[in-house]
Amino acid sequence: MMRPFIAVARLGVAAAISLLGLSVSARETLTTPDWNITLTDFGYSDFMLDNTPGFEGREYLSGEWGAAVGYQVAGRPLVSPKWFEPHFIYPDWTTNSDFIVVTPIRQIAVNSAGLAIAKSVIRNADLEITLHYEILDTVLGTPMGQTAASATADGHALRSNRYVLKQTCSIKNISGSPITNLQLFQLLHGLTSQRGHYDDRAHTGILAEDRYDVSLVGTDQWSIGSASAPHGLEDYISFHASVAPSAFEIGYYGITGNGLDNHVSGKPSDGVHLSIEANWLTAPFSTREGTDAFLPASRWVSGAERWDLADLAPGASASLDVILSLRTGTKVAVGLNSAGGGRGGASRTGGLDFVFDQVTTAGTCFTQYTKANPAEVATRIAGGQISAPDFATLGGVTQIWEVEFSGTYQDSVDLTFAYDPGLVPQGLDPNLLCIYQYDGNHWQALPATLDAAASKIHVSTTSLSVFALGTISQSTYEVTVAAEPGNHGTVSGASTYADGASVTLLATAEPGYVFSNWTENGAVVSSSPSYTFVISADHHFQAHFISVGTDLALTTRSLPVNGGSTGGDGVYPIGSQASVTATANPGYKFDRWLLNGTQVSTTPDFNLVVTGNLEVIATFKPVFTVTALIEPAEGGEVTTEGVYEPGQLAVVRARANPGFTFVQWTQNGQPVGNDPTLRYTVTGDRTLVANFIATSVIIVESSDASAGTCTGSGTYEMGSTITLNSTASSGHIFLRWTADGETIGTTPTLSYQVSTSQTIVAVFTVIPALQLVSPESGGNSFTLSWPETASGWVLQESGTLAPDSWADSPRTIEVANGFHHISLVPESGKRFFRLRHP
């Protein structure tokens, strides 16, 4: 289904479904910093939206991320594949599903990365299916195969975005009889997909065992022309499994090129979804099983895999994991000085602008940005992406950009990085900031030009790889750490650091002990086992641990770690009551307390009984601020609720002041909606501008409704030129246009420039009598008169007999007291006179 990028604001999921008039299930939105996906109870989604700066709300799915199942119960006919989802939202067509909801989808926990875990349960008379979802932070991404399985060339993989969705489908036999021929199907249809392939080659990297993948690729037509992507964005979206499928297909989602299907109003007459329903068993679908590459003449490509699962005895279960991944890059055209940007460009923190001296083969530039803490840096080092930074980083994290290009180019590339100024220590000389590039073996400092006021730094390079922000320093300092007592815990962080580097110390207590604090020269510097600071001198720290003894240890922590702070840690006697507290950091809200993965409270402050050594985790949810501005300031008013959770429906409203009219909502100069009430699903902080124009209300009316009609009424922008039209009724004639009693035109059609709100009147009059007869005796004078409003009419006269030929009569016409007067002295005999409209 074609839905334009940004130009039309998406309704929230519930609102969109409600408008379709469907009876629908629950939905849950799982969010990452880069994208979010909204799933139904049945594991179906058409709402996978972009969260990256500059492209918030851009869509990845069109039609389906959905699953189906086929099977045979002993003694009964084979069940053709059934979709889990009863109703696909886009397009709106009913499937052959007979599944109902047992447990609605909901988030049940968060993992160690602070990302969502959710679950739902559905069933029919034979199967109970548990759908388990978890967002994984792979840091380095997972390989997305880029070569069709049938190709003889070497395989190639593109690394995905760092965040992936792991979907586990567990199928239980509740029929009471053995089940055979159990088959699971997965379908994926990307919104921009224009080509696709299936790959089964072995690759290396995170989740490389999930090597059997379908990838769909296409250019987002609605992103073309944006400031950072003049040639548009290219989306890669894939699903992977660690088990070889028994069948797969890349092909149509309906046929649009020849006008056969419109893909929206009903179930398409052809395509991969119908191949699944036929299980690749009937023509024409039987010829498509194993199609591993597809490049149609028109858009709408989808892909599917089928897996044969184990036979199930009554009560037995089988399961399969499927990984959903994506990657987006900026298209770059052939030519000199080909330019664009990543992550919305260098006008946004973490974004970048690029200019290639000469692109010889068009391609896509992929960019990722992260504020890597020490643990993430260690993961990247272990994965072979980088070596340990040997330069001073900033603010406790390393700002890293990954840049790669799928095309070819000559000479150099100019890069402008937008760094986070909030991570630059106060007092640091900005001229010491530097961009380091990893060349595969070492970090190299690049000559840079700094724009400190805009928080940008410019470099030039002949290759693309991994870049990081650091400082150039001539000084180094030593950090030593020790545990007190030495056998009660372990400590890390001792090393030699460059001046201005970020240092993180970590203390871990041995069983039977708890961490107390960090001290230096006897003074407490932190009570957190993880202590980060920016170095400017030598330091020697001690980590102090205390014995729990017969008491119990209570520890708290935040998830994610930057979501907020917690309190209540300590040593408690068994059976005593402890109080724990949670305070959200800006950009987050407290969600719940977890103990052993189970929710124990939804209030930030609560008491619990200490029954053993406990660790309670405070989870926090990101919240986003929606800001609405007015342009011009006097144009109107806006209302918004301000702060939202990811996936919530935001509603912003605009109301024009007198003399103004609402035009549209924009974000960063791009239109996002033209309805004064804008509804959309929240995926990040957003600043919207309500645009108004000064307008005038023009009312056009007739002087006499029975004499004639007129058009031109409306609300118009000040200074615009409008057209007024008048049509006289039979026996009447248009005379003039008036405004405020003054004549502004005398033609029935008038071009008029709007300068203020006003009422314009079209003046009509009755056509004067057409014929006058003089006295029969000649030589006697008489006077003809008619209203002044009939000016412009011509007097004609004819002979003494019945009128047969008329000729203009050049008579002297006088005007007095609102009438035209002609004094006539006819020749002998009766004369005929008439008025003619020119």
Side-chain angles (χ1 to χ4, degrees), residues 418-498:
Y419 61 86
D420 187 345
L423 298 177
V424 178
Q426 291 186 353
L428 177 70
D429 182 357
N431 293 311
L432 294 178
L433 293 178
C434 179
I435 289 292
Y436 289 83
Q437 182 175 12
Y438 188 67
D439 64 6
N441 295 293
H442 307 93
W443 289 99
Q444 302 289 337
L446 299 179
T449 302
L450 180 71
D451 183 353
S455 303
K456 298 179 183 179
I457 189 166
H458 312 268
V459 300
S460 182
T461 181
T462 57
S463 62
L464 297 175
S465 57
V466 180
F467 302 83
L469 180 69
T471 65
I472 300 174
S473 175
Q474 304 300 317
S475 303
T476 60
Y477 298 102
E478 291 292 326
V479 173
T480 60
V481 294
E484 297 290 345
N487 61 341
H488 294 168
T490 58
V491 291
S492 64
S495 186
T496 300
Y497 295 91

Side-chain angles (χ1 to χ4, degrees), residues 13 28-39 45-52 56-61 135 324 326 624 646-648 681-684:
V13 179
E28 184 76 14
T29 298
L30 309 183
T31 300
T32 80
D34 293 339
W35 52 266
N36 69 84
I37 185 169
T38 300
L39 294 155
S45 180
D46 181 50
F47 291 87
M48 189 175 187
L49 306 179
D50 201 340
N51 287 348
T52 58
E56 294 91 342
R58 197 175 62 88
E59 188 170 6
Y60 290 108
L61 292 178
I135 302 292
L324 175 64
L326 61 88
F624 301 118
Q648 278 191 307
T681 300
V682 174
T683 59

